[in-house]
Amino acid sequence: KNSPLSDLCIKSKNDIVDGPFGSDLKTKDFQNEGVPVLKIQHVKQFKINYSKPTYISDQKYKELKRHSFKKGDIVLTKLGKPLGAASIVKEIKEGIIVADLIGVRIDPQKIDNEFLCYKLNSSHIQADINSFTRGATRPRIKLNVIRNLKIDFPNLEEQKNISKILNKLLKEVSLYKKKLAE
């Protein structure tokens, strides 16, 4: 099958979102505890490195709820290089994304989130994303481009089988990289 990403969500306007405008979330809103904030430096392909966490108050979270993520969502970069680096939120229950990120909440009856994460990080989709890049010094992508990305996918059972195989290969690659670094 082939569908725009927005058709793989329950409500695309609510399920594919970017972070708040800079004026809605400022440095002065950050604190040492509270609701987690994912920033662009936290998101890499297939990995969220949340070693230097940032938080906002519960009140600020309520104000910015439209820009929230929850465990199982996919977040991807919409600024910088690599553009469109995607990862699944696995270790954080919920929080807010910043303006340089896009959150995607899929309909699990239509597509497997691990399969979609692999698709978003694939060279084919990365080429699509980069073909719509704006800005020479700070490349960026618009939210509508992500919503309209064409995603090819088999049935749900096959997606899950593909994800299992790719997860195993990704672990093996990580092990080899560690051994090479020693």
Side-chain angles (χ1 to χ4, degrees), residues 158-175:
E158 187 65 22
Q159 292 173 39
K160 290 180 181 190
N161 287 335
I162 291 169
S163 293
K164 283 181 187 176
I165 293 166
L166 293 174
N167 283 338
K168 183 178 176 186
L169 290 171
L170 191 60
K171 285 180 184 175
E172 287 178 17
V173 167
S174 293
L175 287 173

Side-chain angles (χ1 to χ4, degrees), residues 19-81:
F21 289 110
S23 60
D24 293 332
L25 182 62
K26 297 181 179 186
T27 306
K28 69 180 176 87
D29 296 315
F30 297 147
Q31 50 190 48
N32 294 327
E33 56 186 35
V35 179
V37 177
L38 278 182
K39 296 180 177 180
I40 193 167
Q41 62 264 32
H42 297 136
V43 180
K44 309 292 181 218
Q45 286 185 319
F46 306 111
K47 184 179 181 184
I48 295 177
N49 181 355
Y50 203 61
S51 60
K52 294 181 181 177
T54 302
Y55 303 93
I56 56 173
S57 68
D58 289 334
Q59 177 60 37
K60 193 66 174 174
Y61 175 73
K62 289 175 186 170
E63 292 172 26
L64 300 175
K65 186 112 172 127
R66 180 192 177 287
H67 310 283
S68 66
F69 67 85
K70 64 181 184 178
K71 190 174 186 175
D73 287 353
I74 296 173
V75 290
L76 61 146
T77 58
K78 73 171 202 176
L79 177 75
K81 291 183 180 183

Side-chain angles (χ1 to χ4, degrees), residues 99-148:
D100 301 334
L101 297 174
I102 294 174
V104 178
R105 185 169 299 147
I106 53 98
D107 180 345
Q109 301 300 314
K110 295 179 181 176
I111 195 160
D112 177 68
N113 66 346
E114 287 186 335
F115 177 83
L116 180 58
C117 188
Y118 282 110
K119 286 296 284 188
L120 291 171
N121 284 312
S122 72
S123 58
H124 171 73
I125 296 294
Q126 289 293 304
D128 284 352
I129 288 172
N130 283 299
S131 72
F132 290 101
T133 300
R134 301 253 190 259
T137 57
R138 295 185 69 198
R140 72 190 77 234
I141 194 76
K142 291 188 174 196
L143 183 61
N144 278 338
V145 169
I146 300 300
R147 286 184 173 145
N148 293 314

